[in-house]
Amino acid sequence: MNKLRMSIVSALVLFGGATGGLNSAQAADWWVAVGGAGDGTTSSTPTNGIAATINGAAASDTVHIAEGIYTENDIAVGKYLTLEGAGKDLTVVQAASARSNAVTRVFYLTAGCVLKSMTVRYGRHVENDYGAGIALANNSAFNVTIEDCRITKNDSMGDTVAPKRGGAIAAPGSTAAGVLTLKNCEIVDNTSAGGLYGGGTAGLWVQKKNTVITNCLFEGNAGAAGAGAIYSSSAPLDIGDSTVISNISFYRGGGIYAGGSLTVRRSLIAYNIALNNGGGFYIGDAVHAENTTICNNTAWYDGGGVCMQNSGMAGKTQTFYHCTIANNYAVGDGGGVRRPYGTLKFYGTIVARNDSSGIYKDIYAGAVALCTNSLVGDRTGCPSSIVAGTPNAMGSYVGTSASPVDPRILTLIDNGGPTRTLALGAGSPALDHGINPLSLISDQRGAPYTRTWGAGCDIGAFEYGPFPTTGPLFKTY
């Protein structure tokens, strides 16, 4: 009898038996389409309504959302699902018919999930809420992946006191865990209004959840009190092959505010504005930056490109490998870098052509700084360890206010790869005078743009070489 029962159960499992429990253990696919009238079990019989389909799906199922515009709000995801659209230009999920009509957010996640290939727009939250586009539950411990999505035109609204967190995405909670992953996403034209400090971040707002960002664009986000684009309160933040451009914060971190450790690779941080400190980014912990360009940012106080001003950073190290920090401006001091605490290290990095209203144009640093095979336009504001010379004993080209060193960098354009770069002009002292302690294979642009070409590697994020100037390696937008 036991053998017979086991055989029946095995057959049901193998052939998709009729019991709900057995079926729920097997991942299923569901299809949704605008005007769908079927049961949603096949692509030819789609159902209508994302939220209703989610409610009927089981954990680990995939919900396919066909091309079209879906107007639904506060879509709750309470089990692990994959929600996959037809593409960010084809599938649009919005909380209202127009941005001006929005009153609630778009998605609310209380479980881990994957969101793919869609646009999320016209979400709004007010007062003590968070996450107008996509909100993760408070103190969540699950993992979330957002891939190939455009999150745009979402707004955090309210008065001047209540926190408005994450116009596009919010992951709150002082005990949160897990990982938030963004891949190939566009976080564009989101806003926040009101709130104090980090609450007003327009783009991505995270407290304790580790965040990994790869090949993403953050552009045109405006935050009233937090960072313009990305705010991470105290968890590690890892950014690669991404562009953070033309964002504004009415507080610190026009582009990025990183209260926890920051790792940034092969990225561009440009044309961001902070009405306080840190036009490009504001740092409160350790930094590892490599092959990254930080340029044309503005701070109305200190640190036009980078500001590391927290006294709690005394035991922290901020290291820049093959970065270019140029053409930034601070109304206060430290047009390029402002770092009074901690240990600052430059390897093969350019800090030049920055400006400020004060006397410290390129760097305003504390006592501990190391500058190896790098280029500093004007050492005014540097500690005594950074000595003028062309080159000095550390292999660095370091100028003074009377005789600054010109890196001869060109205009920020598409020179290939996923992000724009500042190429080196003919006769630049940065050519062949760098150092590569990490044995990096490529420059900021990635393969095939090698890190070393010629007699040696160049200083800065860009490596001069006989590389292609047109073709499929170049962006089309």
Side-chain angles (χ1 to χ4, degrees):
M1 189 67 177
N2 288 338
K3 290 182 179 180
L4 176 61
R5 185 168 64 237
M6 289 175 65
S7 298
I8 293 172
V9 171
S10 297
L12 288 171
V13 170
L14 288 172
F15 297 105
T19 68
L22 290 173
N23 274 337
S24 63
Q26 301 174 19
D29 290 273
W30 301 88
W31 281 266
V32 180
V34 174
D39 61 4
T41 57
T42 69
S43 58
S44 59
T45 60
T47 187
N48 184 30
I50 298 171
T53 305
I54 289 172
N55 289 337
S60 299
D61 286 357
T62 297
V63 177
H64 303 274
I65 307 170
E67 176 181 350
I69 298 176
Y70 301 80
T71 304
E72 302 185 42
N73 56 63
D74 246 341
I75 301 170
V77 182
K79 66 201 84 171
Y80 184 86
L81 296 172
T82 297
L83 307 182
E84 184 171 7
K88 62 176 176 284
D89 295 321
L90 301 174
T91 299
V92 177
V93 184
Q94 58 188 25
S97 59
R99 188 175 192 174
S100 58
N101 297 335
V103 294
T104 57
R105 65 166 66 92
V106 185
F107 283 103
Y108 181 60
L109 313 181
T110 59
C113 73
V114 177
L115 295 178
K116 297 179 65 176
S117 305
M118 67 181 75
T119 285
V120 177
R121 72 183 186 188
Y122 301 165
R124 178 175 294 205
H125 71 68
V126 297
E127 301 310 328
N128 292 309
D129 216 340
Y130 54 87
I134 301 169
L136 281 63
N138 190 40
N139 290 320
S140 65
F142 48 75
N143 299 330
V144 171
T145 297
I146 303 172
E147 186 172 355
D148 296 313
C149 288
R150 178 182 297 119
I151 305 170
T152 185
K153 295 178 170 60
N154 301 285
D155 303 296
S156 306
M157 308 301 293
D159 58 32
T160 59
V161 177
K164 318 300 174 295
R165 306 161 181 165
I169 306 168
S174 59
T175 61
V179 179
L180 173 62
T181 301
L182 274 67
K183 299 178 182 178
N184 309 323
C185 289
E186 299 172 15
I187 314 298
V188 178
D189 189 19
N190 301 281
T191 70
S192 67
L196 300 174
Y197 307 109
T201 300
L204 169 65
W205 181 82
V206 178
Q207 280 188 283
K208 283 287 189 178
K209 191 176 289 289
N210 291 7
T211 303
V212 179
I213 298 169
T214 305
N215 196 31
C216 290
L217 169 66
F218 289 79
E219 182 175 11
N221 301 288
I230 304 167
Y231 179 96
S232 180
S233 175
S234 55
L237 175 62
D238 190 302
I239 302 172
D241 300 300
S242 295
T243 294
V244 180
I245 190 167
S246 299
N247 303 281
I248 183 170
S249 169
F250 285 72
Y251 191 54
R252 296 172 177 168
I256 301 166
Y257 182 115
S261 62
L262 172 67
T263 299
V264 56
R265 303 180 180 90
R266 298 178 305 277
S267 294
L268 170 67
I269 301 164
Y271 293 103
N272 302 288
I273 299 173
L275 300 192
N276 195 282
N277 297 310
F281 52 81
Y282 183 91
I283 305 300
D285 207 310
V287 177
H288 175 106
E290 63 184 58
N291 278 342
T292 290
T293 297
I294 304 162
C295 69
N296 301 95
N297 301 286
T298 300
W300 284 25
Y301 283 70
D302 296 334
V306 181
C307 186
M308 299 165 279
Q309 203 168 20
N310 191 329
S311 60
M313 294 178 64
K316 309 293 184 179
T317 300
Q318 302 85 40
T319 308
F320 295 81
Y321 301 90
H322 281 290
C323 292
T324 298
I325 305 172
N327 301 332
N328 301 286
Y329 178 75
V331 175
D333 268 316
V337 178
R338 169 75 160 89
R339 198 280 308 167
Y341 305 101
T343 300
L344 182 63
K345 296 182 179 181
F346 295 121
Y347 296 94
T349 288
I350 294 173
V351 188
R353 284 194 183 175
N354 301 286
D355 198 5
S356 71
S357 296
I359 63 172
Y360 308 129
K361 308 299 184 183
D362 286 317
I363 301 173
Y364 179 25
V368 183
L370 176 68
C371 185
T372 303
N373 289 86
S374 294
L375 188 154
V376 176
D378 177 2
R379 69 166 304 279
T380 306
C382 293
S384 59
S385 57
I386 299 180
V387 179
T390 54
N392 62 19
M394 300 296 292
S396 293
Y397 287 72
V398 179
T400 64
S401 59
S403 181
V405 175
D406 184 358
R408 300 188 185 182
I409 51 178
L410 304 181
T411 304
L412 183 69
I413 62 170
D414 182 2
N415 293 300
T419 59
R420 282 172 276 178
T421 49
L422 292 168
L424 296 172
S428 170
L431 294 170
D432 297 333
H433 291 140
I435 188 172
N436 190 6
L438 298 182
S439 299
L440 299 172
I441 297 173
S442 69
D443 69 4
Q444 179 178 318
R445 297 166 292 175
Y449 304 97
T450 59
R451 182 61 272 182
T452 301
W453 183 83
C457 62
D458 298 338
I459 302 172
F462 178 93
E463 183 74 19
Y464 178 85
F467 301 116
T469 55
T470 60
L473 294 172
F474 285 70
K475 298 182 294 298
T476 57
Y477 58 86

